[in-house]
Amino acid sequence: MKTRSANRSILIVGSVALDDIDGPFGKHPDLLGGSASFISRAAAYFTDKVSVVAVVGHDFPSQYLTEMDALGIDISGIERADGSTFHWSGKYSDDLSSRETLDTRLGVFATFQPKLAALHKRAELVFLGNIDPVLQLDVVEQTEAPVLVALDTMNFWIGGKRADLLKTLRKVHTLLVNDEEARQLAEEHNLRKAAARILKMGPSSVVIKRGDAGALLFHGGGVFGVPALPLEDVRDPTGAGDSFAGGFMGYLSYAGNLEPATIRTAMIVGSTMASFAVEKFSVDGLRGLTSEAIQQRFDAFTELTKFDSIRL
Ligand code: AMP
């Protein structure tokens, strides 16, 4: 299924990983994970111009790359290097509301030095998925003139490579983070104040994802909020943020403009794709969706938030 019109090209840099997930539904080792895996799959429902720049190791199953290729994702920028694939282990609380990182093994990402091909340098939309901010900066500096650079990061990098991250943020238009990350980055608990601080670090808009509390968009013009859809089955929240990012970028590609109304719609499309991702493990929730299924879930958001104004 492809729904595309303007079809702006998207370049994604991020992790392609193997994840060990533990939580109320048991232990699931060696699942396909990584920020770029979720982002590219979610975005590919809206455009066939998705390229990924990443690295995998000798232990990465080729079948996953074949699948991405079959989805129309350009994998020419995914290098196979000598070493182990990035491996992340996380454990969720019984109610899935929080997670703890048990282990992060960078493997081949520790020495990765992306060299963008001409096609990738010309990308119109660039998404710097969660990975070392030094690599994120390296990639954005190689691009020619993207109309939008968006970035996601996490506690591991905010705490571990803060100075590098602040340098990278100066090149970024839109930051996407979860509420904990926004607080940690801004060193401010109140989200509104945290967003205001982040907007002084470089980005002109910041999207704060809040799990089952939805997402907020802060920009010069104010704040816009989206609830999360109340779902019956939530199994694995891993990749929710990345799937949001994929839907968000995919829709911006599809719409072909960055008008405030388009960005608001992209927030709902992002929430729609995240809602699919959390229903199953790994990228399974993003497999085989039809345009009808995506449309139906998007409409459920409209229904959830529709109300009449009052006249006092
Ligand atoms: P999300 O749940 O959207 O925050 O993304 C989870 C994905 O991020 C997992 O599939 C991990 O493989 C990946 N991940 C976790 N930690 C890191 C990290 N430090 N750098 C890059 N990717 C990571």
Side-chain angles (χ1 to χ4, degrees):
M1 197 265 316
K2 284 276 186 298
T3 44
R4 50 186 114 100
S5 60
N7 212 11
R8 277 181 162 168
S9 54
I10 307 179
L11 175 68
I12 298 162
V13 59
S15 49
V16 172
L18 294 172
D19 290 347
D20 298 339
I21 307 292
D22 192 2
F25 296 97
K27 283 191 196 304
H28 289 70
D30 291 327
L31 295 176
L32 169 63
S35 49
S37 305
F38 291 99
I39 302 166
S40 59
R41 278 175 181 260
Y45 281 104
F46 303 91
T47 166
D48 63 355
K49 286 201 199 153
V50 179
S51 300
V52 174
V53 167
V55 63
V56 295
H58 58 76
D59 52 349
F60 191 75
S62 302
Q63 149 218 350
Y64 295 144
L65 297 175
T66 313
E67 276 176 17
M68 284 171 90
D69 185 45
L71 292 170
I73 299 164
D74 162 31
I75 56 165
S76 63
I78 305 185
E79 192 185 306
R80 191 185 281 275
D82 206 14
S84 304
T85 300
F86 180 94
H87 206 117
W88 178 74
S89 311
K91 186 172 165 75
Y92 286 90
S93 58
D94 283 345
D95 63 0
L96 291 172
S97 68
S98 60
R99 83 173 175 209
E100 177 193 353
T101 291
L102 302 178
D103 193 17
T104 302
R105 279 176 273 149
L106 292 179
V108 288
F109 259 110
T111 50
F112 183 47
Q113 288 200 309
K115 185 104 190 56
L116 297 199
L119 166 79
H120 300 151
K121 288 185 181 167
R122 289 195 301 267
E124 294 163 282
L125 307 171
V126 174
F127 195 88
L128 306 169
N130 175 28
I131 192 64
D132 188 331
V134 175
L135 284 185
Q136 292 176 318
L137 182 63
D138 185 17
V139 165
V140 76
E141 282 184 336
Q142 291 180 58
T143 58
E144 283 165 9
V147 290
L148 180 81
V149 178
L151 178 143
D152 185 9
T153 189
M154 72 185 291
N155 49 8
F156 187 83
W157 306 112
I158 301 170
K161 292 217 172 174
R162 187 178 178 82
D164 291 309
L165 178 61
L166 291 178
K167 203 168 147 202
T168 306
L169 277 179
R170 284 191 219 116
K171 308 264 178 192
V172 167
H173 304 111
T174 304
L175 173 72
L176 289 92
V177 279
N178 71 28
D179 42 5
E180 286 311 310
E181 293 154 357
R183 291 184 170 115
Q184 187 187 357
L185 176 62
E187 296 172 323
E188 164 64 55
H189 186 80
N190 179 284
L191 281 184
R192 202 164 188 140
K193 290 183 187 163
R197 280 201 186 171
I198 292 169
L199 292 176
K200 292 200 177 111
M201 295 175 179
S204 51
S205 57
V206 52
V207 175
I208 302 185
K209 298 163 289 178
R210 307 178 68 202
D212 64 6
L216 296 168
L217 165 73
F218 292 92
H219 52 100
V223 53
F224 173 65
V226 192
L229 207 60
L231 298 168
E232 275 182 26
D233 283 315
V234 178
R235 288 183 173 263
D236 178 17
T238 310
D242 300 318
S243 305
F244 180 103
F248 182 86
M249 295 301 283
Y251 184 71
L252 294 182
S253 158
Y254 175 84
N257 70 74
L258 298 170
E259 298 299 322
T262 304
I263 294 178
R264 286 177 175 226
T265 307
M267 293 277 294
I268 316 283
V269 177
S271 308
T272 301
M273 299 315 285
S275 78
F276 285 118
V278 300
E279 289 179 326
K280 295 185 181 156
F281 280 88
S282 180
V283 299
D284 287 354
L286 297 176
R287 284 184 198 277
L289 300 173
T290 58
S291 29
E292 292 73 29
I294 296 174
Q295 180 75 51
Q296 245 179 31
R297 203 154 280 188
F298 182 94
D299 292 345
F301 275 92
T302 313
E303 206 48 47
L304 184 68
T305 52
K306 202 166 62 184
F307 52 84
D308 291 336
S309 188
I310 56 169
R311 290 273 168 273
L312 295 179

